Amino acid sequence: IELIFVPASGTSVFQPLDRRIFGILKSQFRLLAETEIFNGKTRYETITQHLITVWSHISPKALKS
């Protein structure tokens, strides 16, 4: 594993996907999941379904940006 340190306030320059699409995906996932706790045998299936649902609702404008 090689660690790469991102300078302070450098996320938008060095990690543009985190600032855009992954940020949108994570915030929408949190809204969908609310206070749901993911554990047990169906944990990964549930998370995958939530991510598919969230991804399908991301606007083309957000994807293009």
Side-chain angles (χ1 to χ4, degrees), residues 17-64:
L17 289 176
D18 274 357
R19 290 272 305 146
R20 298 286 184 179
I21 199 66
F22 293 151
I24 294 168
L25 187 70
K26 288 188 273 188
S27 68
Q28 293 300 312
F29 181 85
R30 281 188 211 101
L31 288 174
L32 179 64
E34 295 178 338
T35 59
E36 191 172 347
I37 296 174
F38 302 106
N39 59 20
K41 292 181 180 182
T42 62
R43 174 184 184 205
Y44 295 109
E45 293 172 36
T46 303
I47 292 170
T48 301
Q49 281 306 118
H50 281 340
L51 288 173
I52 290 169
T53 299
V54 169
W55 185 262
S56 70
H57 289 94
I58 293 177
S59 72
K61 182 179 178 181
L63 291 172
K64 191 172 183 178

